[in-house]
Amino acid sequence: MLTVQASDWQPDPYVAYKPVIYLYPEKETDVSVELTLDGRLTCTYPKYSDGWVVTAAPDGTLTDKNGRTYNYLYWEGETYAKYDMSKGFCVKGKDTAAFLEGALEQLGLTRREANEFIVYWLPQMEQNPYNIISFQTDAYTNAAELKVSPEPDTLIRVFMSWKKADSYISLPEQGFSAVQRSGFTVVEWGGTEIQ
């Protein structure tokens, strides 16, 4: 007979897919970024070792100590965050691209950042009858804390949780309020599929 103690079991973690971090200082700046994750990192690029240290240019180009350049810092990980799907949007699969274009602009992403977000997520979403989409704030930022030095003037973190639906589901819509960019700006986006 198998006995299971309460401490033996934990819920399956959600995977935070492709969070990417862009750094836009006003002038070339050495920047360190530390991520504290409620869970575990499964992939990073460039390699995360007690943080990332890069030289960031105003156009977003990042250079490591070996002279390699990157467009952003990338990570994926498993987290025990509890995402709230009680508010959001139910969008037809075929309308997902148009919906994301509008939503991401309202959330403060540039065209380039939104394009990279959509190119990653659209292939998984547009063939579904419907997608329930909810942008997370505190649940995500509390589970994946960022510490950036020097401290940014503007921090934009966009994290989408979504799940496939076979039919339309009515739910209260979320409101958006874009942060105005000024000074040293840090932008992050990512997402997870809720099964």
Side-chain angles (χ1 to χ4, degrees):
M1 177 185 270
L2 176 65
T3 304
V4 178
Q5 301 293 327
S7 60
D8 290 347
W9 181 86
Q10 286 196 1
D12 287 337
Y14 291 111
V15 177
Y17 287 104
K18 205 190 177 187
V20 294
I21 302 166
Y22 306 85
L23 308 172
Y24 304 106
E26 293 182 288
K27 62 182 193 301
E28 190 171 286
T29 305
D30 291 335
V31 181
S32 69
V33 179
E34 292 178 29
L35 173 66
T36 303
L37 186 65
D38 175 19
R40 70 180 187 94
L41 292 171
T42 55
C43 187
T44 62
Y45 188 74
K47 183 169 176 52
Y48 184 90
S49 178
D50 297 324
W52 290 285
V53 177
V54 292
T55 301
D59 69 355
T61 302
L62 310 178
T63 307
D64 69 12
K65 66 181 179 183
N66 298 314
R68 291 188 191 94
T69 59
Y70 307 87
N71 294 328
Y72 45 71
L73 306 172
Y74 160 83
W75 67 272
E76 282 192 359
E78 296 178 342
T79 173
Y80 293 99
K82 292 184 174 36
Y83 299 119
D84 180 4
M85 299 294 287
S86 64
K87 290 184 180 178
F89 307 88
C90 188
V91 180
K92 284 185 179 176
K94 64 181 180 157
D95 297 336
T96 301
F99 168 79
L100 290 175
E101 286 171 355
L104 296 172
E105 181 179 4
Q106 290 180 55
L107 287 164
L109 297 193
T110 64
R111 185 71 200 117
R112 177 182 145 219
E113 294 158 0
N115 180 72
E116 290 173 353
F117 182 108
I118 292 167
V119 165
Y120 181 80
W121 286 108
L122 191 60
Q124 302 171 57
M125 301 175 76
E126 70 177 345
Q127 301 304 320
N128 299 334
Y130 290 90
N131 295 298
I132 299 170
I133 299 170
S134 181
F135 290 95
Q136 304 296 314
T137 51
D138 294 345
Y140 174 67
T141 58
N142 291 341
E145 296 179 29
L146 276 186
K147 181 179 178 187
V148 181
S149 182
E151 189 171 336
D153 300 299
T154 306
L155 176 61
I156 299 171
R157 301 184 77 191
V158 175
F159 191 84
M160 174 184 71
S161 58
W162 68 278
K163 62 182 176 181
K164 175 184 171 185
D166 292 325
S167 58
Y168 180 80
I169 294 170
S170 179
L171 70 163
E173 287 192 0
Q174 285 181 297
F176 296 135
S177 56
V179 175
Q180 294 301 313
R181 297 181 183 216
S182 66
F184 174 26
T185 299
V186 174
V187 178
E188 180 189 41
W189 65 253
T192 192
E193 181 181 5
I194 307 293
Q195 298 292 338

